[in-house]
């Protein structure tokens, strides 16, 4: 059974069909990418998966259960974590607090525990903080735990977002242009990080990217969208040589550079 | 608990009323009335070597502030007597403090029965009670005007609603048809109340509240075509009413109101008061300004009596408190004395017909009936 | 200027100065108030003591001891000597509790609530109804109550139970209000809560018919107070009366009693607010405030968390409402006007949105301004007017000041100006929340 | 050819954060100058300081020799400086057309504006397809196109671009760099920030390297491309 | 399909249609819609309760006052609407509740009435054309209130740009207290009291009588109501044009959405904000004079409740949307009027006019539940 499977998903905005009959399958443990021209519907597809938008038609199955009609928090609870194209951190919370918020679904404490500061509460908080620090290390953030998230530079904020998503202990992580605004060196490190997330934590990774160095480098499978539809799918090598993809998306030079 | 002494020979009288905010119109003039009294009547005390001062407190028409002020007042040993409040809602909790401290207060405006029915020795008032004033007005409407249907409107204050309820009770007893009973906090646009009222077309519209609300209502109701008689309570006793309502007061069935204080013609002193007041403060006195004056007069006289009894020493609060109850005084609003719970034993009620169409003509109003009623005491 | 103060602060914020200053203030303040009980300055000096206690570095045990000494011994003694101070402090406590509750709703969860006193009203009217004679007056016209009606509850000690009932009912009201409207954002929520506040007030004003539940504008009185054990009181008298210097009546004891009660509520409120803030729930609230979409994508159930904030905030107000009704033995709709809600909001923001010590200080400042500083100031001016004093240089006799310029009438004006000035010069509040402070220090951390 | 823009010893702060620690740079008329640097180096802050969104605490900024250090942004714009900001700054509740019109706010020449808009649509046909859609609902890349298009509508003499290729599909990245060169040929001076330093330096005349708020290196683009440190840190070439 | 589309497009881009006909059409549609809905509702209720209550003429009584109730509702609705326009203007740009707008409105009214009183003492009031007089009063109110609003912005709000959202709110509340008492002070010093009473002049109090076939009694509308409606509609049309059809309007909208970027477009943000306050304030001033004409008495505290209602109306209509503000006002006015007039009749006096606010707020909540951003507000969701 595949981890995620969508059948004929349609999402419209007024007259515009942003996602059109998307059939998409993701196997557990894969690293896969979605690429496509600007405005192809990639982000909208993510939003439909995570419950921010309700699809007009179609089915979404995750782990064998339907996600259609669930609220975003319920989707998150079922094990899908995400980052956003335009970074959305809790700017005036510290880095650690951001990650702790990511752990929301993982913590067992209830209001009464918090009020009476039970042993279990203290234990859980201590563990959570330790885990948060671990995650900071994991994504390569050092000594910024008490810094306000908004005061970090762009690259650092991207890392917090990933750490926050990981904190939810997800089965699947959705990354929307995670390396945008990073320089080549930072991108290099990010690629390594995505690999480790899959290899060490066993989390399935699905990402949207425009940086072909990332996409071609780590994807086991690439799906290409254009005008809401999936126009191609395959391994990096297949996609690189797909004429339609070259024309609509890669451009001659880029294709040449990658070849 | 507290005794006189403190600073040598200094005596203070406190006032508490709203000096800021929307109700300050009346509150300020209570204070001004008291101030005028102090200036005109503190002579005997000054001659005895006392310095008399007024301490005006602003209760902001809110119970919290009133109570806090009350505690500040009782904590000042120089204060021997007080004048206030405007709102029964502030008076009732504040007077708990006066009661504990044995500090006498004379209310110039609170007509809510509860103010005195608690039986506190410290609480007095020089105005009538809702449960008397209203039946007087009703009797006049039923017997003299021959009204058989009435529409009652009040201002949703303890005062206005209290009078209105008693009016309704009396009207129902007489078999009058009470066609409507509405409370409203509106001060500007009365359309929504006037429309059903017009449809019912009652013989009399009884408005219990304060003139600056009622005046606007009367004008709008007349403009809309109401032809019957307007009636009101002592809250209407202000020249401003005629400024606001203009000829709406004399058109159709005209307008009458009840009052505990007659107009100038009933009390020569009142005319002089109005003159002095205007000279000093630059404006006509509002309702309850004269009562403020009289309340302060009661305080001064009682302090004087108590001080004499104490051999020209600053008297105790308890002595002043008891002196008030023993007192009889010719005030500008009538003869003042108190029964065992602090009410006027017999209050005079006037029915006054309005002939004025502007504030300047307010003196043209005439007394059409003069009645005296005993206080109903502690309860039914 | 600013530099001078920060230098001063650093130089006294170390041993032994911190101890000397704090205890010095306590000692001098107490002595001053004891000797001149009506002096505003004396009281202000005394009030600096808790501030010093809070700000200066000292051994925590000693801090606790000093705090207890101040709250349990000094203030009650001085308060009984001058009952007004106890009232000031009681009101500060009442409003601080309200401000703490509102702070949860606005400061933590970011939901602008303009009708907060509605919950206070729920608490107050709950006890007012059951703790009075209102039950037997259900069918009588307001104002015409028979004086001999019995109290509904024979034993006023039910009061203790009603504190909890008040908490419960207020929280329930919070949830009922929240359910339909929490989908709304920002100012839409503000206007609906404002409406709700008005609805509760209008109900209090009008539910005297068809059945007389609230007694309308007349308000409900008398309301019972819990019993105080006479033996206990006599025992305390033995110690207290010599300290105070005069005999202490039962009524004065009640003042002390309510002061302690309010103090306890404040302490509970602070602890609850602190603990909630420092937990999964508090973090979820902050996250919602910062970015709802991101928060919900992290698995935070928006509606449930917001309802929780409403309920938690409301419950403090409910408890305080019950205590308030018993303290005043009277409630009427005037106490629950829209302006009160605005007042509490002002305290929260003036003190520092989201900051627990901040909102307490905010409450203290506003109460102080309202019932002491401005009052005293205008009394002073009005006594000038009654005296023969003359302004020296321009040779202007106070007596001739137009009565229209009577300062007593312009407290609100002054208050308004103070609000504007405070916001301009200290927009982050008197004691900004840690979060905001950190933001300002920024790079210095770690 | 003279110095159109001169920045001298500029210090900028965000509250207490000292973001620019004495930046000095200049741009000559007709040049393409590129700023490169790691995340948080202060590149965007430099542009914000030039356009007046942020006022420096010390230092001066001159345009054509005239001091513009303390001018408000709208006056800097009026003097001919265009700024396509980081994060795009799209007006979310204005349509695509209105957003573009905002770019030409200070230019009262309807015919010329219409012609410019037509040019923008030719460059980015996608924008024409979305012409009546609200800016806030565009996809990330579409917003980026819109931001650049709006910059073009401004007719600036000097155009400052903050990471214009971010979030764009590879075809469009090529296009953007073409556009920049074409504009430059038409006489527009360009100050460019790019993470894609390789491409930036290949079209630029000169470049500056920023590190934690200070300029650590400046040279012609050619030489910078060959500089070991630049190669290692910013071009990803070991 | 396509041709039709382009015809529509042509029509909608015609300024007369866009700024005059369309909004007026919307207002008419809403007045009719809300009026008819409510009327049908009360008539139905009257029939249902006819038998169950003692007075048998319930249906007749309901019908007898219905036209008047409708007119009352629309009148007060337009009063709210005029104030709401000013709120919405300022909210649209700064996204904050300008609490002191109530006072700016009050000042406009007071100034207008003082002018009339001055003319009266000069003896020239009676001799002048009533429309010239009222136009003068409105103009003066607009000038004073507009400049006051600009000053208030300068002093109390501008220093707070960039502070958290609630800070200017508190500053506005402070300003509101200040203005109330400042006006009281000035009035007190000059006239000795603070009631401001409109002198009687012209024929504004008279009624226009309309006879409709089928109605028992003629419908009467006061002249001042007609004036109020006319001026408000003119204000709306002008404003709509200004905001949506001019360059200044576009700048206002840009500043509202993103101040730094707006400044990068060459827009003088401070100037635009001042202009917005000027417009909002002068609308408030005009509203104040019209309000004074309607109710005949003002005092320094009179702005508070209408201000609150107007803000509610603005929210109901979809805050930031001008036509919405007007519609919100009308809907609120109608609800209040129906509530106040019929609650008492239907419940036999058990619940009366005093519950009108509760009814209005209940319906406000209901509307917001179904349209969380108001009647005409659109949700332009930021993308995730
Ligand atoms: N709320 C909305 N209303 C109307 N149209 C929308 C809305 N959201 C997205 N769209 C349109 O749907 C299309 C798909 O947008 P989406 O954000 O999914 O693109 P994308 O593939 O993520 O593009 P990019 O690579 O530029 O981020 C775009 O053309 C966009 O304009
Ligand atoms: N609004 C702000 N408040 C506080 N600090 C800020 C703010 N904006 C930027 N900073 C800080 O200023 C420094 C410079 O930031 P700037 O945005 O100029 O960097 P940059 O070189 O453009 O980086 P990037 O490549 O991430 O865009 C960084 O340390 C950043 O954290
Ligand atoms: Mg996208
Ligand atoms: Mg940058």
């Amino acid at each position: 059974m595949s981890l995620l499977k969508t059948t004929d998903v349609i999402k419209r905005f007024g007259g515009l069909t942003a996602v059109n009959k998307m059939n998409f399958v993701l196997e557990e443990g894969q690293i896969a990418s979605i690429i496509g021209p600007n405005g192809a519907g990639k982000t909208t597809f993510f939003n439909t998966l995570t419950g921010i938008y309700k699809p007009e038609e179609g089915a979404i199955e995750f782990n064998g259960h339907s996600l259609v009609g669930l609220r975003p928090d319920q989707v998150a609870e079922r094990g899908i974590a995400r980052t956003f194209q335009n970074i959305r951190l809790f700017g005036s919370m510290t880095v650690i607090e951001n990650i702790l918020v990511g752990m929301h679904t993982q913590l067992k404490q209830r209001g009464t525990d918090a009020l009476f500061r039970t042993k279990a509460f203290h234990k859980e908080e201590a563990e959570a903080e330790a885990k948060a620090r671990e995650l900071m290390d994991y994504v390569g953030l050092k000594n910024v735990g008490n810094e306000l998230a908004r005061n970090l530079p762009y690259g650092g904020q991207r890392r917090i977002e990933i750490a926050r998503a990981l904190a939810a202990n997800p089965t699947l992580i959705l990354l929307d242009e995670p390396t945008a605004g990073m320089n080549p060196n930072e991108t290099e490190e990010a690629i390594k990080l995505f690999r480790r997330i899959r290899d060490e934590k066993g989390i399935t990774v699905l990402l949207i990217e425009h940086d072909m160095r990332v996409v071609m480098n780590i994807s086991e499978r690439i799906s290409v969208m254009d005008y809401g539809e999936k126009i191609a799918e395959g391994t990096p090598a297949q996609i690189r040589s797909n004429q339609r993809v070259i024309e609509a998306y890669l451009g001659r030079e880029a294709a040449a550079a990658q070849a | 608990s507290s005794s006189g002494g403190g600073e040598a020979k200094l005596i203070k009288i406190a006032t508490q009323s709203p000096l800021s905010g929307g109700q300050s119109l009346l509150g300020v003039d209570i204070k001004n009335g008291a101030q005028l009294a102090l200036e005109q009547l503190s002579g005997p005390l000054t001659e005895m070597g006392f310095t008399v001062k007024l301490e005006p407190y602003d209760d902001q028409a809110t119970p919290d502030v009133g109570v806090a002020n009350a505690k500040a007042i009782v904590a000042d040993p120089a204060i021997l007597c007080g004048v206030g409040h405007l709102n029964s809602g502030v008076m009732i909790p504040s007077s708990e403090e006066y009661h504990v401290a044995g500090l006498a207060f004379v209310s110039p405006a609170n007509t809510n029965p509860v103010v005195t029915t608690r039986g506190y020795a410290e609480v007095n008032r020089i105005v009538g009670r809702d449960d008397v004033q209203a039946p007087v007005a009703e009797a006049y409407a039923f017997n003299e005007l021959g009204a058989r249907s009435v529409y009652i409107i009040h201002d949703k204050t303890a005062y206005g609603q209290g009078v209105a309820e008693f009016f309704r009770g009396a009207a129902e007893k007489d078999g009058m048809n009470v066609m409507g009973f509405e409370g409203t906090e509106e001060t500007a646009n009365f359309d929504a109340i006037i429309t059903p009222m017009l449809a019912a077309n009652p013989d009399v519209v009884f408005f219990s509240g304060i003139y600056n609300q009622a005046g606007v209502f009367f004008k709008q109701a007349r403009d809309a075509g109401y032809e019957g008689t307007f009636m009101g309570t002592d809250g209407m006793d202000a020249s401003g009413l005629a400024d606001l309502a203009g000829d709406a007061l004399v058109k159709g069935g005209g307008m009458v109101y009840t009052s505990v204080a007659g107009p100038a013609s009933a009390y020569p002193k009142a005319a002089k008061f109005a003159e002095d007041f205007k000279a000093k403060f630059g404006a006509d006195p509002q309702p309850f300004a004269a009562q403020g004056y009289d309340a302060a007069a009661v305080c001064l006289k009682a302090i004087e009596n108590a001080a004499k009894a104490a051999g020209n020493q600053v008297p105790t609060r308890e002595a002043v408190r008891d002196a008030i109850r023993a007192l009889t005084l010719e005030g500008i609003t009538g003869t003042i004395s108190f029964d065992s719970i602090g009410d006027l034993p017999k209050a005079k009620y006037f029915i006054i017909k309005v002939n004025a169409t502007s504030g300047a003509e307010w003196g043209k109003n005439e007394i059409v009936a003069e009645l005296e009623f005993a206080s109903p005491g502690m309860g039914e | 200027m600013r530099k001078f103060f920060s230098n001063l602060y650093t130089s006294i914020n170390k041993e032994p100065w911190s101890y000397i200053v704090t205890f010095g203030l306590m000692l001098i303040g107490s002595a001053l108030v004891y000797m001149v009980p009506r002096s505003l300055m004396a009281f202000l000096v005394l009030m600096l003591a808790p501030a010093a206690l809070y700000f200066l570095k000292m051994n925590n045990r000693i801090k606790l001891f000093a705090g207890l000494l101040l709250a349990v011994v000094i203030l009650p003694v001085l308060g009984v000597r001058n009952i007004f101070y106890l009232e000031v402090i009681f009101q500060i406590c009442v409003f601080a509790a309200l401000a703490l509750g509102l702070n949860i709703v606005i400061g933590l969860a970011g939901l602008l609530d303009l009708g907060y006193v509605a919950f206070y009203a729920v608490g107050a009217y709950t006890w007012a109804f059951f703790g009075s004679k209102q039950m037997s007056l259900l069918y009588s016209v307001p104002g015409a109550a028979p004086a001999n009606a019995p109290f509904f509850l024979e034993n006023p000690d039910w009061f203790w139970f009603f504190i909890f009932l008040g908490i419960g009912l207020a929280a329930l009201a919070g949830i009922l209000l929240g359910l339909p409207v929490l989908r709304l954002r920002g100012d839409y929520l503000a206007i609906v809560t404002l409406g709700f506040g008005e609805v509760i007030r209008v109900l209090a004003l009008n539910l005297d018919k068809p059945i007389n539940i609230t007694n309308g504008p007349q308000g409900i009185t008398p309301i019972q107070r819990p019993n105080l054990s006479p033996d206990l009181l006599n025992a305390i008298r033995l110690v207290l009366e010599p300290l105070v210097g005069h005999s202490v009546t039962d009524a004065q004891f009640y003042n002390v009693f309510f002061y302690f009660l309010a103090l306890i509520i404040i302490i509970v409120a602070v602890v609850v607010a602190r603990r909630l803030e420092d937990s999964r729930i508090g973090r979820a609230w902050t996250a919602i405030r910062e970015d709802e979409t991101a928060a919900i994508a992290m698995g935070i159930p928006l509606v449930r968390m917001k309802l929780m904030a409403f309920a938690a905030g409301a419950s403090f107000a409910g408890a305080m409402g019950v205590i308030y009704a018993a303290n005043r033995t009277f409630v009427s709709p005037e106490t629950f006007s829209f302006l009160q809600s605005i007042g509490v909001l002002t305290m929260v923001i003036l003190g520092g949105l989201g900051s627990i010590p901040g909102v307490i200080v905010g409450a203290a400042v506003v109460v102080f301004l309202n019932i002491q500083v401005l009052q005293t100031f205008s009394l002073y001016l009005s006594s000038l007017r009654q005296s023969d004093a003359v302004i020296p240089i321009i040779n202007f006799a106070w007596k001739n000041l137009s009565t229209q310029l009577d300062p007593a009438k312009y407290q609100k004006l002054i208050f308004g100006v103070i609000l504007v000035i405070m916001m301009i010069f200290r927009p982050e509040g008197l004691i900004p929340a840690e979060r905001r402070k950190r933001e300002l220090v920024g790079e210095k951390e770690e | 050819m003279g110095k159109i823009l001169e920045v001298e010893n500029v210090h900028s702060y965000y509250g207490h954060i000292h973001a620019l620690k004495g930046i000095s740079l200049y741009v000559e008329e007709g040049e393409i100058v590129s700023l490169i640097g790691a995340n948080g180096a202060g590149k965007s802050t430099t542009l914000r300081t030039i356009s007046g969104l942020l006022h420096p605490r010390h230092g001066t900024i001159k345009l054509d020799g005239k001091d513009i250090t303390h001018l408000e942004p709208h006056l800097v714009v009026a003097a001919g400086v265009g700024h396509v900001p980081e994060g795009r700054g799209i007006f979310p509740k204005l349509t695509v057309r209105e957003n573009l019109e905002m770019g030409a706010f200070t230019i009262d020449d309807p015919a010329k504006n219409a012609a410019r808009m037509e040019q923008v649509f030719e460059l980015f046909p996608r924008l024409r397809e979305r012409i009546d859609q609200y800016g806030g609902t565009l996809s990330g890349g579409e917003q980026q196109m819109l931001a650049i298009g709006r910059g073009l509508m401004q007719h600036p003499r000097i155009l400052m671009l903050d990471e214009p290729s971010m979030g764009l599909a590879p075809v469009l990245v090529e296009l953007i760099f073409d556009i920049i060169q074409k504009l430059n040929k038409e006489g527009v001076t360009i100050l460019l920030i790019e993470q894609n330093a390789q491409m930036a330096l290949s079209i630029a005349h000169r470049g500056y390297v920023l590190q934690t708020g200070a300029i650590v290196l400046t040279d012609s683009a050619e030489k910078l491309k060959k500089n070991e440190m630049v190669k290692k840190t910013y071009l990803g070439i070991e | 399909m396509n041709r039709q589309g382009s015809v529509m497009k042509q029509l909608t881009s015609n300024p007369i249609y866009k700024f005059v006909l369309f909004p007026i059409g919307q207002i008419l549609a809403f007045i009719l819609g809300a009026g008819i809905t409510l009327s049908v509702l009360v008539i139905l209720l009257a029939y249902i309760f006819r038998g169950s209550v003692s007075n048998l003429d319930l249906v007749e009584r309901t019908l007898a006052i219905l036209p008047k109730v409708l007119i009352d509702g629309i009148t007060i609705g337009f009063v709210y609407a005029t104030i709401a326009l000013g709120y919405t203007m300022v909210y649209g740009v700064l996204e904050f509740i300008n609490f002191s707008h109530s006072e700016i409105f009050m000042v406009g009214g007071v100034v207008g009435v003082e002018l009339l009183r001055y003319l009266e003492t000069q003896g020239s009031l009676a001799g002048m054309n009533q429309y010239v007089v009222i136009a003068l009063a409105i103009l003066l109110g607009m000038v004073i209130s507009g400049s006051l609003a600009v000053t208030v912005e300068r002093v109390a709000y501008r220093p707070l740009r960039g502070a958290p959202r609630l800070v200017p709110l508190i500053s506005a509340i402070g300003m509101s207290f200040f203005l109330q008492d400042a006006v009281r002070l000035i009035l007190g010093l000059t006239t000795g009291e603070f009631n401001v009473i409109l002198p009687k002049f012209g024929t504004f109090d008279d009624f226009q009588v309309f006879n409709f076939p089928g109605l028992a009694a003629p419908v009467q509308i006061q002249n001042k109501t007609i004036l109020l409606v006319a001026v408000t509609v003119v204000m709306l049309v002008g404003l709509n044009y200004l905001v949506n059809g001019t360059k200044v309007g576009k700048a206002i909208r840009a500043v509202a959405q993103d101040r730094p970027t707006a400044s990068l477009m060459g827009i003088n943000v401070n100037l635009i904000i001042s202009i917005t306050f000027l417009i909002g304030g002068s609308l408030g001033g005009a509203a104040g004079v019209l309000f004074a004409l309607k109710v005949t008495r003002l005092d320094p505290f009179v702005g508070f409740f209408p201000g609150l209602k107007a803000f509610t109306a603005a929210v109901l209509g979809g805050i930031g949307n001008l036509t919405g503000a007007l519609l919100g006002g009308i809907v609120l006015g109608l609800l209040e009027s129906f509530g106040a007039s019929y609650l008492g009749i239907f419940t036999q006096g058990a619940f009366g006019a005093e519950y009108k606010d509760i009814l209005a707020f209940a319906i406000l909540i209901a509307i917001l539940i179904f349209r969380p951003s108001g009647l005409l507000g659109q949700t332009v969701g930021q993308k995730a």
Side-chain angles (χ1 to χ4, degrees), chain A residues 12-14 16-19 35-47 53 85 176-177 208 210 225 228 249, chain D residues 88 126 129-130 133-134 136-143 145 167-169, chain E residues 381 383-384:
Chain A
R12 295 193 192 94
F13 295 109
L16 175 87
T17 310
V19 175
I35 61 172
N38 297 115
K42 306 178 294 289
T43 301
T44 308
F45 183 57
F46 267 22
N47 284 340
Y53 294 145
Q85 180 167 4
D176 196 345
E177 300 195 25
I208 296 176
H210 287 302
M225 289 181 75
Y249 182 64
Chain D
R88 299 151 194 159
R126 174 59 81 139
E129 287 170 31
R130 296 275 175 272
Q133 188 172 324
Y134 279 124
T137 63
L138 294 176
S139 86
E142 288 165 348
Q143 289 189 350
M145 295 176 220
L168 289 180
Chain E
K383 287 194 46 178

Side-chain angles (χ1 to χ4, degrees), chain A residues 151-154, chain D residues 14 17 19 38-45 86 163 195:
Chain A
N151 287 350
L152 261 64
Y154 203 85
Chain D
Y14 292 103
I17 299 174
N39 285 139
K43 306 179 295 288
S44 305
T45 307
E86 184 180 43
E163 305 199 18
Q195 293 293 356

Side-chain angles (χ1 to χ4, degrees), chain A residues 72-73 76 84 88 90-94 97 100-101 104 107 109 111 114-115 117 121 125 143 146 148 150 164, chain C residues 272 275-276 278-281 283-284 286-287 290-291 293-301 435 438-439 442 446:
Chain A
D73 55 309
F84 295 89
R88 298 189 89 140
F90 306 117
S92 58
M93 296 176 92
T94 63
E97 282 172 327
L100 286 175
V101 170
H104 188 88
L107 302 182
Q109 50 175 279
L115 285 186
R117 297 275 134 148
F121 174 85
E125 283 286 290
N143 289 336
N146 295 335
L148 291 187
R150 90 156 70 93
R164 188 178 68 178
Chain C
V272 168
R275 295 191 160 180
L276 283 182
D278 260 339
S279 78
R280 177 173 94 127
I281 296 170
R283 289 191 295 266
T286 317
E290 296 271 317
D291 186 336
T293 312
I296 196 169
M298 295 302 117
I300 295 171
R435 228 170 259 302
R438 237 186 275 141
E439 199 173 326
E446 261 187 64

Side-chain angles (χ1 to χ4, degrees), chain B residues 31 54 71 112 156 161, chain C residues 206 208 218 255 386 406:
Chain B
K31 188 213 92 184
L54 194 74
K71 292 196 173 174
N112 190 325
K156 292 255 62 142
Q161 194 213 21
Chain C
N206 289 305
D208 51 2
Q218 316 275 342
N255 284 315
Q386 292 177 53
D406 198 341

Side-chain angles (χ1 to χ4, degrees), chain A residues 53-68:
Chain A
Y53 294 145
K54 243 191 217 125
E56 265 78 35
E57 282 174 37
I60 304 172
E61 256 179 40
F62 180 68
N63 259 336
H65 299 284
S66 170
L67 294 184
V68 177

Side-chain angles (χ1 to χ4, degrees), chain B residues 269-346:
Chain B
K269 273 180 160 180
K272 177 161 182 313
F273 165 76
E275 251 168 53
D276 293 350
F277 191 96
K278 181 140 194 178
K280 178 157 179 63
F281 301 109
D284 285 327
Q286 300 288 338
F288 307 122
Q291 283 81 350
Y293 183 97
D294 271 357
V298 167
C299 281
L300 288 166
K301 189 76 197 164
I303 293 171
E304 187 189 327
N305 292 349
K308 278 184 187 145
N312 277 7
Q313 288 305 308
V314 176
T316 64
R317 283 178 175 171
E318 288 74 11
V320 174
R321 172 188 77 192
D322 300 337
I324 287 180
R325 290 287 166 91
L327 183 86
T328 303
L329 182 95
E330 274 310 315
I332 54 176
T333 63
T335 308
I336 297 169
S337 63
F338 299 98
D339 65 11
S340 63
I341 61 169
D343 276 329
L344 297 167
K346 266 195 182 159

Side-chain angles (χ1 to χ4, degrees), chain A residues 194-205:
Chain A
F194 302 151
R195 282 228 174 82
R196 278 166 51 212
I197 290 175
R198 199 269 308 266
D199 295 345
E200 296 172 12
K201 296 192 181 279
I203 297 172
T204 310
V205 178

